[in-house]
């Protein structure tokens, strides 16, 4: 009997140890009733501010574009589901730092005005402990914001841009002339004219080099991208001729039509404004890697977009610390001053994002640094405000 109970006792001890470990992961250990109270206030005010400002933006946008919708006979279903259903998440996420700042200042000033923060601090809660529910709320908002910008919004942006091309006369660039790019190591492609609507190019050549010497020269009257192929990079060349150079000898072959694999896609040939916003983050990472390996210079805006999605998510934490530090103290005059200051700082943050991105694209500034410059500068402001807040 003793031999049987010994292993059972060890099993219960092991389970007790694991359950003790699970208690550490229990959210109730860290989130108290006061935390839930602030989190609900934060998230509720954040959603309310988004709904209010986006509703106003939709009214102004609809009024501005009504004549175009009427002129190009845009269907009501397309206006609602193709345009505004993708307009709302795009601009909500774009101005998410602004909404976070407004939400923090609005409801924190109200708490301070009702002496609730004074009561919390009087019970022994430190300012650092008061920040916990704010940071938990920021984790939720930043996670949702990054998921939307990295995976959801790019697909909606494609639909919205297609709507613009059809019903708002924002013609998308659909052709390119004299395109030359490195499609593989030592392989250079050239297209005299390319039409993205038909996915067809004219005046095509493909040169292969080995040890800086030309070893193969392909020319074709036309080249057509195979849009129904199972894999990428499938092209059909028409009126082709290949010259293979082997020392002093030259071997020439030609034909009417030939299927071939060339490491390029239509998106590599024609760039349209805002194209980087239509890629998900994994697609952006793959595209950037491919373009860098080719030695292409048309990749900075894609790198800025990739890093900006991550940096914008972290902005919620920085602006929340600034907003809490500014509005946690009860002062005369109400919250009007703080809301005005919050709006000014938020728009300054968005302005810095635009300026730093422009420097990266036009002045060869590092894309990662350009995306994080607003966060770095505002982190200094947040640290100063945090140090002064308890005083």
């Amino acid at each position: 009997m003793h031999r049987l109970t010994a292993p059972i006792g060890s099993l219960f001890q092991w389970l007790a140890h694991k359950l003790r470990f699970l208690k550490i992961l229990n959210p109730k250990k860290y989130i108290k009733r006061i935390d839930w109270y602030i989190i609900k206030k934060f998230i509720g005010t954040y959603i309310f501010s988004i709904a209010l400002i986006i509703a106003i933006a939709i009214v102004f946008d609809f009024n501005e574009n009504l004549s175009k919708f009427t002129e190009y006979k845009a269907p009501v279903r397309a206006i609602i589901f193709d345009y505004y259903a993708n307009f709302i998440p795009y601009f909500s996420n774009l101005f998410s730092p602004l909404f976070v700042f407004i939400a923090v200042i609005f409801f924190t000033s109200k708490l301070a005005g009702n002496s609730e923060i004074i009561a919390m601090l009087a019970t022994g809660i430190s300012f650092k402990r008061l920040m916990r529910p704010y940071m938990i709320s920021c984790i939720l908002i930043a996670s949702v914001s990054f998921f939307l910008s990295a995976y959801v919004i790019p697909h909606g942006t494609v639909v919205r841009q297609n709507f613009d091309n059809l019903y708002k006369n924002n013609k998308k660039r659909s052709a390119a002339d004299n395109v030359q790019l490195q499609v593989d190591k030592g392989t250079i492609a050239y297209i005299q004219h390319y039409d993205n609507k038909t996915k067809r190019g004219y005046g095509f050549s493909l040169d292969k080099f080995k040890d800086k010497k030309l070893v193969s020269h392909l020319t074709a009257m036309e080249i057509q991208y195979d849009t129904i192929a199972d894999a990428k990079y499938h092209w059909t060349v028409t009126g082709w001729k290949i010259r293979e150079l082997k020392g002093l000898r030259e071997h020439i072959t030609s034909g009417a039509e030939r299927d071939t694999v060339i490491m390029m896609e239509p998106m590599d040939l024609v760039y349209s404004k805002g194209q980087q916003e239509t890629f998900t983050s994994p697609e952006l990472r793959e595209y950037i890697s491919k373009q860098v390996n080719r030695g292409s210079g048309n990749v900075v805006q894609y790198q800025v977009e990739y890093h900006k999605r991550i940096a914008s998510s972290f902005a919620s934490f920085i602006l929340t610390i600034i907003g809490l530090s500014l509005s946690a103290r009860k002062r005369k005059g109400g919250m009007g001053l703080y809301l005005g200051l919050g709006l000014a700082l938020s728009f300054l943050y968005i302005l810095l994002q635009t300026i730093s991105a422009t420097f990266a694209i036009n002045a060869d500034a590092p894309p990662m640094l350009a995306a994080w410059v607003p966060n770095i500068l505002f982190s200094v402001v947040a640290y100063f405000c945090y140090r002064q807040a308890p005083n």
Side-chain angles (χ1 to χ4, degrees), residues 347-363 365 370-371 373-374:
F347 283 118
L348 178 60
Y349 178 86
I350 295 170
L351 179 64
L352 280 174
Q353 274 190 328
T354 305
I355 293 173
S356 59
T358 304
F359 268 102
I361 295 170
N362 298 324
V373 158

Side-chain angles (χ1 to χ4, degrees), residues 161-190:
Q161 287 183 356
N162 290 336
F163 179 92
D164 289 345
N165 297 333
L166 287 172
Y167 304 114
K168 292 179 65 178
N169 200 28
N170 293 338
K171 296 302 181 183
K172 189 177 181 180
R173 187 183 177 194
S174 60
D177 294 311
N178 300 319
V179 180
Q180 184 174 351
L181 72 157
Q182 180 174 304
V183 296
D184 202 357
K185 188 176 181 181
T187 305
I188 307 297
Y190 171 80

Side-chain angles (χ1 to χ4, degrees), residues 190-224:
Y190 171 80
I191 299 179
Q192 186 176 7
H193 177 77
Y194 177 77
D195 186 352
N196 197 45
K197 291 182 179 179
T198 60
K199 302 292 188 287
R200 182 181 292 272
Y202 304 90
F204 175 74
S205 67
L206 186 71
D207 296 326
K208 293 183 180 180
F209 296 86
K210 187 175 182 181
D211 297 329
K212 298 182 180 181
K213 293 182 179 180
L214 182 66
V215 296
S216 176
H217 177 66
L218 165 68
T219 59
M221 295 178 62
E222 296 183 3
I223 181 170
Q224 175 72 52

Side-chain angles (χ1 to χ4, degrees), residues 129-143:
R129 173 63 182 84
L130 181 64
M131 289 182 60
R132 181 187 294 178
Y134 286 85
M135 294 298 102
I136 293 172
S137 301
C138 285
I139 291 173
L140 296 174
I141 293 172
S143 300

